[in-house]
Short mmCIF file of all heavy atoms in Angstrom, two decimals:
data_model
loop_
_atom_site.label_atom_id
_atom_site.label_comp_id
_atom_site.label_asym_id
_atom_site.label_seq_id
_atom_site.Cartn_x
_atom_site.Cartn_y
_atom_site.Cartn_z
N ALA A 67 -8.20 -0.48 -9.10
CA ALA A 67 -9.11 -0.20 -10.23
C ALA A 67 -8.62 1.00 -11.03
O ALA A 67 -8.71 1.03 -12.27
CB ALA A 67 -10.51 0.08 -9.71
N GLY A 68 -8.06 2.00 -10.36
CA GLY A 68 -7.64 3.23 -11.05
C GLY A 68 -6.23 3.07 -11.63
O GLY A 68 -5.31 2.64 -10.93
N ASP A 70 -4.56 5.64 -13.34
CA ASP A 70 -3.95 6.94 -13.71
C ASP A 70 -2.50 6.99 -13.28
O ASP A 70 -1.65 7.52 -14.02
CB ASP A 70 -4.74 8.08 -13.09
CG ASP A 70 -5.17 7.84 -11.64
OD1 ASP A 70 -5.77 6.82 -11.39
OD2 ASP A 70 -4.84 8.68 -10.79
N ARG A 86 -6.19 -4.34 -15.09
CA ARG A 86 -6.44 -3.78 -13.77
C ARG A 86 -7.30 -4.76 -12.98
O ARG A 86 -7.82 -5.72 -13.55
CB ARG A 86 -7.15 -2.41 -13.90
CG ARG A 86 -8.55 -2.53 -14.47
CD ARG A 86 -9.12 -1.17 -14.84
NE ARG A 86 -10.52 -1.36 -15.16
CZ ARG A 86 -11.55 -1.05 -14.34
NH1 ARG A 86 -11.30 -0.54 -13.19
NH2 ARG A 86 -12.80 -1.26 -14.71
N LEU A 92 -14.23 -4.97 -3.68
CA LEU A 92 -13.96 -3.53 -3.87
C LEU A 92 -15.22 -2.84 -4.43
O LEU A 92 -15.60 -1.77 -3.99
CB LEU A 92 -12.76 -3.35 -4.82
CG LEU A 92 -12.38 -1.90 -5.15
CD1 LEU A 92 -10.84 -1.77 -5.18
CD2 LEU A 92 -12.93 -1.42 -6.46
N MET A 96 -17.35 0.02 -2.44
CA MET A 96 -17.56 1.35 -3.04
C MET A 96 -19.05 1.68 -3.06
O MET A 96 -19.45 2.79 -2.68
CB MET A 96 -16.96 1.42 -4.46
CG MET A 96 -17.19 2.78 -5.12
SD MET A 96 -16.47 4.15 -4.17
CE MET A 96 -14.78 4.11 -4.80
N GLY A 140 -19.76 8.36 -14.60
CA GLY A 140 -18.96 7.14 -14.71
C GLY A 140 -19.86 5.98 -14.41
O GLY A 140 -20.31 5.79 -13.30
N LEU A 141 -20.17 5.21 -15.48
CA LEU A 141 -21.09 4.07 -15.29
C LEU A 141 -20.35 2.79 -15.63
O LEU A 141 -20.85 1.93 -16.32
CB LEU A 141 -22.31 4.22 -16.18
CG LEU A 141 -23.48 5.03 -15.67
CD1 LEU A 141 -24.66 4.96 -16.61
CD2 LEU A 141 -23.90 4.55 -14.27
N GLY A 142 -19.07 2.71 -15.15
CA GLY A 142 -18.29 1.52 -15.40
C GLY A 142 -18.60 0.47 -14.33
O GLY A 142 -19.74 0.37 -13.83
N VAL A 143 -17.57 -0.30 -13.95
CA VAL A 143 -17.78 -1.36 -12.96
C VAL A 143 -18.33 -0.76 -11.65
O VAL A 143 -19.33 -1.24 -11.14
CB VAL A 143 -16.42 -2.09 -12.69
CG1 VAL A 143 -16.59 -3.08 -11.56
CG2 VAL A 143 -15.96 -2.79 -13.98
N LEU A 144 -17.70 0.32 -11.20
CA LEU A 144 -18.10 0.87 -9.88
C LEU A 144 -19.39 1.70 -10.03
O LEU A 144 -20.35 1.50 -9.26
CB LEU A 144 -16.98 1.71 -9.29
CG LEU A 144 -15.64 0.98 -9.05
CD1 LEU A 144 -14.64 1.92 -8.41
CD2 LEU A 144 -15.85 -0.25 -8.18
N GLY A 145 -19.39 2.65 -10.98
CA GLY A 145 -20.57 3.48 -11.12
C GLY A 145 -21.83 2.70 -11.48
O GLY A 145 -22.93 2.99 -11.00
N TRP A 162 -23.95 9.14 -16.37
CA TRP A 162 -23.27 9.77 -17.50
C TRP A 162 -21.98 9.03 -17.78
O TRP A 162 -21.21 8.74 -16.86
CB TRP A 162 -22.95 11.24 -17.16
CG TRP A 162 -22.31 11.99 -18.30
CD1 TRP A 162 -22.91 12.36 -19.49
CD2 TRP A 162 -20.97 12.44 -18.38
NE1 TRP A 162 -22.01 13.04 -20.25
CE2 TRP A 162 -20.81 13.11 -19.62
CE3 TRP A 162 -19.87 12.34 -17.51
CZ2 TRP A 162 -19.60 13.68 -20.02
CZ3 TRP A 162 -18.65 12.93 -17.92
CH2 TRP A 162 -18.52 13.58 -19.17
N SER A 163 -21.80 8.70 -19.05
CA SER A 163 -20.59 7.93 -19.41
C SER A 163 -20.15 8.38 -20.82
O SER A 163 -20.78 9.26 -21.43
CB SER A 163 -20.88 6.43 -19.36
OG SER A 163 -22.12 6.16 -19.97
N ARG A 164 -19.08 7.77 -21.32
CA ARG A 164 -18.63 8.15 -22.66
C ARG A 164 -19.56 7.59 -23.72
O ARG A 164 -19.90 8.23 -24.69
CB ARG A 164 -17.20 7.63 -22.86
CG ARG A 164 -16.30 8.62 -23.54
CD ARG A 164 -14.86 8.36 -23.24
NE ARG A 164 -14.49 7.02 -23.55
CZ ARG A 164 -13.54 6.67 -24.42
NH1 ARG A 164 -12.93 7.57 -25.12
NH2 ARG A 164 -13.22 5.42 -24.58
N THR A 165 -19.99 6.31 -23.47
CA THR A 165 -20.86 5.63 -24.43
C THR A 165 -22.20 5.34 -23.76
O THR A 165 -22.24 5.22 -22.52
CB THR A 165 -20.19 4.30 -24.86
OG1 THR A 165 -19.85 3.55 -23.68
CG2 THR A 165 -18.91 4.54 -25.66
N LYS A 167 -25.46 3.56 -22.13
CA LYS A 167 -25.56 2.34 -21.30
C LYS A 167 -27.02 1.95 -21.16
O LYS A 167 -27.90 2.81 -21.18
CB LYS A 167 -25.03 2.61 -19.89
CG LYS A 167 -23.57 3.02 -19.84
CD LYS A 167 -22.69 1.81 -19.86
CE LYS A 167 -21.23 2.17 -19.98
NZ LYS A 167 -20.56 2.02 -21.17
N LEU A 194 -17.72 8.94 -10.07
CA LEU A 194 -16.93 7.72 -10.09
C LEU A 194 -16.23 7.57 -11.44
O LEU A 194 -16.22 6.50 -12.03
CB LEU A 194 -17.79 6.50 -9.77
CG LEU A 194 -18.12 6.29 -8.31
CD1 LEU A 194 -19.16 5.18 -8.11
CD2 LEU A 194 -16.88 5.96 -7.50
N LEU A 195 -15.66 8.69 -11.90
CA LEU A 195 -14.94 8.69 -13.18
C LEU A 195 -13.46 8.40 -12.91
O LEU A 195 -12.93 8.71 -11.83
CB LEU A 195 -15.03 10.04 -13.82
CG LEU A 195 -16.36 10.44 -14.45
CD1 LEU A 195 -16.39 11.94 -14.74
CD2 LEU A 195 -16.58 9.66 -15.74
N PRO A 196 -12.79 7.82 -13.92
CA PRO A 196 -11.31 7.70 -13.78
C PRO A 196 -10.70 9.05 -14.09
O PRO A 196 -11.32 9.94 -14.69
CB PRO A 196 -10.97 6.70 -14.89
CG PRO A 196 -12.06 6.85 -15.88
CD PRO A 196 -13.30 7.27 -15.17
N ARG A 197 -9.46 9.23 -13.68
CA ARG A 197 -8.73 10.43 -14.05
C ARG A 197 -8.09 10.23 -15.45
O ARG A 197 -7.25 9.35 -15.64
CB ARG A 197 -7.62 10.72 -13.05
CG ARG A 197 -6.88 11.98 -13.45
CD ARG A 197 -5.64 12.26 -12.67
NE ARG A 197 -5.07 13.47 -13.26
CZ ARG A 197 -3.88 13.91 -13.03
NH1 ARG A 197 -3.07 13.28 -12.21
NH2 ARG A 197 -3.44 15.01 -13.63
N ASP A 200 -9.36 13.82 -20.39
CA ASP A 200 -10.70 14.35 -20.67
C ASP A 200 -11.50 14.66 -19.38
O ASP A 200 -12.48 15.39 -19.44
CB ASP A 200 -11.53 13.38 -21.52
CG ASP A 200 -10.89 13.19 -22.90
OD1 ASP A 200 -10.30 14.17 -23.40
OD2 ASP A 200 -10.98 12.08 -23.44
N THR A 201 -11.16 14.00 -18.28
CA THR A 201 -11.94 14.21 -17.08
C THR A 201 -11.30 15.17 -16.10
O THR A 201 -11.94 15.59 -15.13
CB THR A 201 -12.24 12.85 -16.33
OG1 THR A 201 -11.01 12.31 -15.92
CG2 THR A 201 -12.98 11.89 -17.22
N ALA A 222 -15.64 10.10 -5.26
CA ALA A 222 -14.78 8.97 -4.87
C ALA A 222 -13.99 8.51 -6.07
O ALA A 222 -13.44 7.39 -6.07
CB ALA A 222 -15.61 7.84 -4.28
N GLY A 223 -13.97 9.32 -7.16
CA GLY A 223 -13.22 8.96 -8.35
C GLY A 223 -11.77 9.32 -8.21
O GLY A 223 -10.96 8.52 -7.71
N ARG A 224 -11.46 10.53 -8.57
CA ARG A 224 -10.09 11.09 -8.37
C ARG A 224 -10.19 12.58 -8.09
O ARG A 224 -11.09 13.27 -8.60
CB ARG A 224 -9.23 10.86 -9.62
CG ARG A 224 -8.69 9.45 -9.80
CD ARG A 224 -7.64 9.09 -8.72
NE ARG A 224 -7.14 7.74 -8.88
CZ ARG A 224 -7.53 6.67 -8.21
NH1 ARG A 224 -8.54 6.76 -7.36
NH2 ARG A 224 -6.96 5.49 -8.40
N ASP A 248 -13.51 11.91 -0.97
CA ASP A 248 -12.61 10.79 -0.57
C ASP A 248 -11.26 10.92 -1.23
O ASP A 248 -10.30 10.30 -0.77
CB ASP A 248 -13.27 9.47 -0.90
CG ASP A 248 -12.49 8.28 -0.41
OD1 ASP A 248 -12.23 8.22 0.82
OD2 ASP A 248 -12.08 7.42 -1.21
N VAL A 249 -11.20 11.68 -2.33
CA VAL A 249 -9.98 11.72 -3.12
C VAL A 249 -9.59 13.18 -3.38
O VAL A 249 -10.45 14.06 -3.52
CB VAL A 249 -10.20 10.96 -4.44
CG1 VAL A 249 -10.16 9.48 -4.26
CG2 VAL A 249 -11.48 11.38 -5.13
N HIS A 272 -9.27 8.80 1.37
CA HIS A 272 -9.11 7.82 0.25
C HIS A 272 -9.24 6.38 0.75
O HIS A 272 -8.36 5.56 0.60
CB HIS A 272 -7.77 8.04 -0.48
CG HIS A 272 -7.80 7.40 -1.83
ND1 HIS A 272 -7.03 7.87 -2.90
CD2 HIS A 272 -8.48 6.35 -2.35
CE1 HIS A 272 -7.24 7.15 -3.99
NE2 HIS A 272 -8.13 6.18 -3.65
N CYS A 273 -10.40 6.12 1.34
CA CYS A 273 -10.64 4.81 1.90
C CYS A 273 -11.99 4.28 1.49
O CYS A 273 -12.52 3.34 2.10
CB CYS A 273 -10.53 4.84 3.42
SG CYS A 273 -11.74 5.98 4.12
N ALA A 274 -12.60 4.88 0.45
CA ALA A 274 -13.95 4.46 0.06
C ALA A 274 -13.95 2.97 -0.20
O ALA A 274 -14.92 2.26 0.12
CB ALA A 274 -14.42 5.26 -1.14
N SER A 275 -12.85 2.46 -0.79
CA SER A 275 -12.87 1.10 -1.21
C SER A 275 -11.42 0.62 -1.44
O SER A 275 -10.60 1.36 -1.97
CB SER A 275 -13.62 1.08 -2.53
OG SER A 275 -13.64 -0.19 -3.02
N TYR A 309 -7.92 4.66 -19.38
CA TYR A 309 -8.62 3.88 -18.35
C TYR A 309 -8.96 2.48 -18.87
O TYR A 309 -8.75 2.20 -20.03
CB TYR A 309 -9.89 4.59 -17.84
CG TYR A 309 -11.03 4.72 -18.84
CD1 TYR A 309 -12.15 3.85 -18.76
CD2 TYR A 309 -11.03 5.70 -19.81
CE1 TYR A 309 -13.21 3.98 -19.65
CE2 TYR A 309 -12.09 5.81 -20.73
CZ TYR A 309 -13.14 4.95 -20.63
OH TYR A 309 -14.19 5.07 -21.51
N1 NAP B 1 -11.82 6.22 -3.79
C1 NAP B 1 -11.47 4.95 -3.89
O1 NAP B 1 -11.20 4.27 -2.89
C2 NAP B 1 -11.41 4.31 -5.25
C3 NAP B 1 -11.28 2.92 -5.36
C4 NAP B 1 -11.29 2.34 -6.61
C5 NAP B 1 -11.41 3.13 -7.75
N2 NAP B 1 -11.55 4.48 -7.63
C6 NAP B 1 -11.73 5.35 -8.82
O2 NAP B 1 -12.90 4.94 -9.51
C7 NAP B 1 -12.65 5.02 -10.89
C8 NAP B 1 -13.68 4.21 -11.70
O3 NAP B 1 -13.46 2.83 -11.54
P1 NAP B 1 -14.22 1.76 -12.44
O4 NAP B 1 -13.67 0.43 -12.07
O5 NAP B 1 -15.70 1.95 -12.37
O6 NAP B 1 -13.71 2.19 -13.91
P2 NAP B 1 -14.30 1.74 -15.33
O7 NAP B 1 -14.99 0.44 -15.21
O8 NAP B 1 -13.15 1.85 -16.26
O9 NAP B 1 -15.40 2.81 -15.65
C9 NAP B 1 -15.09 4.14 -15.99
C10 NAP B 1 -16.35 4.84 -16.41
O10 NAP B 1 -16.07 6.22 -16.68
C11 NAP B 1 -16.57 6.58 -17.97
N3 NAP B 1 -15.71 7.59 -18.55
C12 NAP B 1 -14.37 7.58 -18.78
N4 NAP B 1 -14.01 8.70 -19.42
C13 NAP B 1 -15.11 9.43 -19.62
C14 NAP B 1 -15.40 10.67 -20.24
N5 NAP B 1 -14.41 11.41 -20.78
N6 NAP B 1 -16.68 11.10 -20.28
C15 NAP B 1 -17.68 10.35 -19.79
N7 NAP B 1 -17.49 9.17 -19.15
C16 NAP B 1 -16.22 8.73 -19.08
C17 NAP B 1 -16.54 5.31 -18.76
O11 NAP B 1 -17.41 5.42 -19.86
P3 NAP B 1 -17.64 4.16 -20.87
O12 NAP B 1 -18.36 3.10 -20.05
O13 NAP B 1 -18.53 4.71 -21.94
O14 NAP B 1 -16.28 3.73 -21.32
C18 NAP B 1 -16.96 4.27 -17.70
O15 NAP B 1 -18.38 4.24 -17.59
C19 NAP B 1 -11.22 4.52 -11.02
O16 NAP B 1 -10.62 4.94 -12.21
C20 NAP B 1 -10.55 5.18 -9.81
O17 NAP B 1 -10.06 6.44 -10.18
C21 NAP B 1 -11.56 5.09 -6.40
#
Side-chain angles (χ1 to χ4, degrees):
D70 44 305
R86 68 190 188 102
L92 179 141
M96 178 59 85
L141 274 185
V143 173
L144 300 183
W162 182 71
S163 44
R164 221 157 55 118
T165 53
K167 299 277 173 256
L194 281 172
L195 286 165
R197 181 188 176 194
D200 296 328
T201 63
R224 282 292 180 262
D248 185 56
V249 285
H272 199 152
C273 59
S275 177
Y309 68 102

